[in-house]
Amino acid sequence: MAELKYLEPTELLEKIYATLCSEYEDAEHYKDEKDQSEIDVTKRRLTKKIFNEFVVDEEYFLTMDSDVFNERYHLYEEDFLRLIKQCSENRVEYETFVQIIDDLIASAKFRLHAFEQLTEEIQKLQEVDEQEESEEESEEADEK
């Protein structure tokens, strides 16, 4: 398996992914509307279960603090779900699947890092502005 940078796959993740792939295969054999409806519910639940099974920085998406999740991954939630669906529907190999997910997590981390850099730069500029204002006030006080 390719080396992953961020995703920490669990045994359960692989098993759920295999099950979801088999649900897509099985769906082709059921024509009854009720069966199809049940399979669709199962596929949606397994997709969400896979999403919740993602572990990054030793935290599951499911149990991650909601503020942390919203800051880091919420923007990508639809993309994660779409990737899970399309990979499993097309029977993408598990190793390739986790690499694709790892790449999307990398994107989320790079986005977060960019905003952290922006925040740091703004703070530096504000400190410089405050220092300049303080120096100007000192000079004005000295002149009086």
Side-chain angles (χ1 to χ4, degrees), residues 17-110:
Y17 181 73
T19 304
L20 181 57
C21 289
S22 77
E23 282 297 313
Y24 278 100
E25 287 179 41
D26 291 350
E28 297 171 13
H29 303 289
Y30 291 92
K31 304 301 178 210
D32 182 61
E33 198 171 307
K34 183 179 182 287
D35 289 336
Q36 281 296 323
S37 176
E38 289 173 358
I39 289 171
D40 286 343
V41 168
T42 302
K43 288 188 292 191
R44 282 194 304 276
R45 287 188 176 162
L46 287 172
T47 298
K48 190 64 175 178
K49 180 79 174 144
I50 288 172
F51 176 76
N52 288 332
E53 190 66 20
F54 292 155
V55 178
V56 179
D57 299 327
E58 299 179 0
E59 283 191 82
Y60 286 85
F61 275 13
L62 178 65
T63 57
M64 189 177 287
D65 178 81
S66 62
D67 290 337
V68 171
F69 177 81
N70 287 335
E71 177 186 43
R72 297 178 184 177
Y73 305 107
H74 179 68
L75 180 65
Y76 291 84
E77 187 168 356
E78 285 184 33
D79 292 334
F80 280 116
L81 296 173
R82 193 171 96 219
L83 286 174
I84 295 166
K85 179 186 183 299
Q86 289 181 354
C87 285
S88 57
E89 185 175 29
N90 292 290
R91 296 177 204 98
V92 171
E93 292 292 325
Y94 176 74
E95 290 78 18
T96 304
F97 165 70
V98 293
Q99 185 63 59
I100 290 169
I101 296 300
D102 191 63
D103 288 346
L104 187 56
I105 292 169
S107 175
K109 288 207 168 263
F110 286 135

